[in-house]
Amino acid sequence: MSLTSTRPAPLMTRLNTEWTTLIAEKEHQFGSLGTATSAAILKRIRASKNTAQDAVLYELVTLAHGGDRTAERVLLQALIPAAQRMAHRVRSLDDFDRHDRVGYAIGAAWESIQRYKLHLRGRVMANLTMNMLGILAPEKSANDRIIADRTTPVATDVLEAEAGAWVTPEPTPEERLAELFTWALDNNLVTTEEVALLSRTALSDEKHAAIAEDLGLSIACLRKRADRIRARIAGAVRDGL
């Protein structure tokens, strides 16, 4: 695998990596739902229906509106499949490439959570997804229709001739690392716990002393463990796995 890339890892890839390595197995107090891991709450959402599912989703929405970012993140993870489906069906996104379409749809999912009207206690998943659709494909106003009637689309080659071609920005070091970690997970080179350790030591602002204390390790042991994981990944990259 080459470490060079023409674009950063897609948003969905980064979110799924973050979920797997940093969020899913961490316990959290989810209001009336009790203390549980985020993965357990997501499983509960997917396994329940009707009023039972509404109760879980409504509690999470309420917590999210109160500033609970973990509850909001579980809701977002629950909405990612719907975002993927909408990304490929909503006509207003046809001009974007596949990764950008999914990214826009995930952004709509996040916005749908933030805009949710708390007096709506029933059909919560349906309301969230319908809100997403309304954000992605809003009904045109009278002014929008006038503009559309009086606007002529310009071909991409003409636009590039006038304004210059789009140059894709170089991915940041953090984005390169996230892509590498995802690749290592996909190829079973590392466990989620090992990627979580590398993410904390390489990407977070935590002091190594704090990480070592949290994991019950000495700083020297933490560094040796991280070095061994990095060496394993580097070896696989060199061997062209």
Side-chain angles (χ1 to χ4, degrees):
M1 174 188 167
S2 173
L3 293 182
T4 61
S5 173
T6 58
R7 62 178 296 156
L11 175 61
M12 189 177 71
T13 300
R14 298 200 300 271
L15 286 174
N16 283 334
T17 300
E18 176 192 64
W19 174 264
T20 302
T21 60
L22 301 176
I23 300 172
E25 299 306 322
K26 182 174 286 188
E27 286 196 338
H28 182 74
Q29 173 60 43
F30 290 97
S32 64
L33 303 177
T35 300
T37 65
S38 295
I41 297 295
L42 181 62
K43 183 177 180 181
R44 187 170 166 183
I45 293 170
R46 291 172 173 170
S48 58
K49 296 180 180 179
N50 302 325
T51 57
Q53 186 187 72
D54 284 339
V56 178
L57 291 171
Y58 186 81
E59 180 67 12
L60 293 176
V61 171
T62 303
L63 291 170
H65 281 216
D68 189 326
R69 299 283 76 87
T70 301
E72 181 182 63
R73 187 62 179 81
V74 174
L75 280 170
L76 180 68
Q77 198 69 23
L79 289 171
I80 283 178
Q84 286 180 277
R85 292 192 297 270
M86 286 187 189
H88 301 295
R89 295 176 183 173
V90 175
R91 296 287 300 276
S92 62
L93 300 179
D94 285 350
D95 291 337
F96 301 101
D97 71 19
R98 180 170 61 88
H99 293 314
D100 286 342
R101 288 200 301 268
V102 175
Y104 275 109
I106 290 173
W110 224 316
E111 192 170 348
S112 176
I113 295 167
Q114 295 165 350
R115 288 188 186 183
Y116 194 86
K117 297 176 181 178
L118 293 179
H119 69 273
L120 300 174
R121 292 176 171 268
R123 297 175 54 81
V124 180
M125 181 60 79
N127 289 328
L128 285 166
T129 53
M130 287 303 294
N131 287 345
M132 289 166 57
L133 183 59
I135 294 165
L136 291 172
E139 184 177 350
K140 288 184 179 180
S141 66
N143 189 53
D144 291 332
R145 289 192 291 271
I146 291 172
I147 292 173
D149 289 340
R150 298 182 181 181
T151 301
T152 302
V154 178
T156 301
D157 55 348
V158 175
L159 186 61
E160 287 187 355
E162 293 295 326
W166 166 256
V167 178
T168 303
E170 283 294 315
T172 66
E174 291 79 8
E175 289 167 340
R176 289 182 187 277
L177 276 176
E179 183 181 8
L180 180 61
F181 292 165
T182 301
W183 173 81
L185 275 171
D186 290 344
N187 286 277
N188 298 315
L189 293 172
V190 292
T191 65
T192 55
E193 291 79 9
E194 288 173 330
V195 171
L197 186 148
L198 284 185
S199 296
R200 292 180 72 180
T201 57
L203 299 177
S204 76
D205 294 328
E206 291 181 274
K207 301 290 187 182
H208 282 193
I211 298 172
E213 182 180 357
D214 182 45
L215 298 176
L217 304 172
S218 67
I219 295 179
C221 183
L222 174 71
R223 287 173 176 163
K224 286 181 181 178
R225 185 173 297 184
D227 287 343
R228 284 198 298 269
I229 301 168
R230 280 193 289 266
R232 192 188 316 149
I233 296 173
V237 172
R238 283 196 306 271
D239 295 340
L241 179 63

